[in-house]
Amino acid sequence: MTELSFYDLAFGVSPGGARMDAHFIRGTLDEVKADLAGELAEEINLYLLCWYGAELTLDVYQHGKREQSIDLHPFITIAIDGYPDITFKGPGEPVGYDFDEAADGGTLSDRMFMGSLGDAVRVTVDWSRIEVPPLIGEVAGWDDEVDLGDYESVEYGMTDFEA
């Protein structure tokens, strides 16, 4: 396997009440941004971030070796009409709202889990504060496979090892 450079957007929840181990192998930051926006558009994933403390990192691999891991939590803001903004100190450390506190229609965590927030929720990622190094050398692309250490032969694109 060629030692390619690539980004790995990793979104996961340790086994327990929920399971997820998704990896988005990408060759451009624009692809990573689109993948993350898609994941954060799903309320169940916001629930996993807020309630289950889901891990969310952008790992940078240069020449097949992980050179940097960036925790994306501190750069995410979840705005929900009628609630204070939710930010994160890190995984499992949301700031801004008590998810067990009942409001009209149940707890916020219940509403996220059920996907009933709809247009009332907006998520932003402050990419201007994230220092993501450019990839160097030969960059992974479609039809390529990479080695993530624990997982060998991961195809370009999205793979959820818990699915």
Side-chain angles (χ1 to χ4, degrees):
M1 195 174 309
T2 307
E3 293 187 352
L4 301 170
S5 295
F6 59 93
Y7 298 114
D8 172 23
L9 175 64
F11 189 16
V13 178
S14 297
R19 298 174 77 107
M20 180 181 197
D21 189 12
H23 293 264
F24 296 82
I25 306 303
R26 296 299 187 193
T28 70
L29 193 53
D30 285 341
E31 290 173 304
V32 169
K33 289 177 181 180
D35 290 333
L36 183 56
E39 290 298 294
L40 296 178
E42 297 182 33
E43 289 179 46
I44 189 67
N45 289 338
L46 301 181
Y47 171 80
L48 294 174
L49 281 173
C50 294
W51 189 252
Y52 270 91
E55 298 285 329
L56 182 60
T57 60
L58 177 59
D59 295 335
V60 181
Y61 285 75
Q62 304 286 16
H63 303 292
K65 305 235 183 305
R66 185 168 70 175
E67 298 288 328
Q68 187 173 1
S69 184
I70 303 165
D71 177 16
L72 296 176
H73 289 88
F75 308 102
I76 295 173
T77 301
I78 302 171
I80 302 169
D81 294 344
Y83 297 91
D85 285 354
I86 300 165
T87 58
F88 299 85
K89 291 181 183 177
E93 298 181 271
V95 177
Y97 190 73
D98 178 358
F99 295 94
D100 288 326
E101 185 176 312
D104 59 323
T107 67
L108 183 55
S109 62
D110 290 343
R111 294 181 67 200
M112 281 181 179
F113 181 78
M114 298 303 293
S116 64
L117 294 170
D119 291 339
V121 64
R122 291 163 309 287
V123 182
T124 56
V125 179
D126 189 354
W127 286 101
S128 67
R129 293 185 323 139
I130 307 172
E131 295 182 27
V132 181
L135 298 175
I136 55 176
E138 189 176 348
V139 176
W142 295 105
D143 298 325
D144 285 326
E145 293 182 357
V146 299
D147 182 345
L148 293 180
D150 291 342
Y151 306 107
E152 295 179 8
S153 300
V154 180
E155 293 182 4
Y156 193 89
M158 189 274 205
T159 302
D160 187 346
F161 293 98
E162 291 291 341

